[in-house]
Amino acid sequence: AGARTGLNADSAPRVSVVIPTRNRAWCLPRAVESVLTQTAGDLELVVADNASEDDTPRLLAAAAAADPRLRVVRRHTPGEMVANWSLGLAQVRGDLLLLLMDDDWLQPEFLARRLAALEETPRALAVTGPHAEGSEDGSEVRLPESEPPAGLLEGTELVRAALSRSWFLSSTLYRMEPLQRCWPRASEDGLVPDYSLNLLLALDAQTRGGCVVRLRGADMVVRRHGGQHS
C-alpha cells in the first residue's frame, strides 16, 4: 500500500506515535512538531498518509529529512479511514503507543507524565488525562472548566469512562499488547474507531484485572474546526 522510510529494526524505541492523515497540510505540521519536541525523546513517529493531494507529502518529506525519528508510509490511492489507521499500526515497533489525530497537538510533558504513571502502575493498560480545546487557527487554547478526579479507572467505572468518551483516544498512552488484542475487532465494528477501541479495552481489562490511570491537568489540545467526524 505504500513505502516506508528510515526503518532501523536494531533500535526499537519505547514509544510509537501514529498520526493518520489526508489533505491536512494546514494543521498536520503542528501535530508532528508536538510529538518530536516531547521531553521524553525515546520515540518514533509514523505518519500514515492516505494519498494526500495537497502539500502534505512535501511537508512530511522535509520533516523526515530533518528528524530520523519520523517515518512516513503513504498510500497511493485513498482508502477507508480505519484502513489508514491500520497501515500506520503495522509499522510501529515500540511497546507503548499513542494514536494522535492530525489536527490535535501535545504539550511537551505529555509522554513523560504518562511514562512515569505506567512505571508506578504495572497493571495499567493505559494512562489518560483531560484535554483542552484549541481554536481552528490554533492561536487560542481553552482549558476545561472542570476535570474528573485523578486515580485508577477499573471495572464498571472504566466502561462508563469509555462510553462517555471521558477516556479519549488522543490523550491516552496505551500498552501495545492489550491494544493489539482489541484492534482487529475495533477496526471491524463500523463505529468511530477510537470509541470502539476504548470500549473493547475496558471490557478486556475487566476479564484480566487491568485498569487505566487517569491524570489531572490537560496536556493535549483538541482543535475544533469544521469537517470533524466525531
Side-chain angles (χ1 to χ4, degrees), residues 8 38 87 138 173 177 206 219:
N8 182 355
Q38 287 293 296
L87 179 63
L173 182 65
E177 183 180 357
Q206 283 191 312
D219 52 9

Side-chain angles (χ1 to χ4, degrees), residues 1-6 17-22 45-52 56-57 60-61 64 70-76 83-92:
R4 288 183 288 176
T5 61
V17 182
V18 173
I19 301 178
T21 193
R22 174 168 166 77
L45 171 58
V46 177
V47 178
D49 180 10
N50 194 7
S52 290
T56 294
L60 288 175
L70 169 60
R71 294 186 284 118
V72 180
V73 58
R74 175 173 165 80
R75 300 179 65 93
H76 299 298
N84 202 42
W85 280 103
S86 296
L87 179 63
L89 285 171
Q91 313 301 313
V92 301

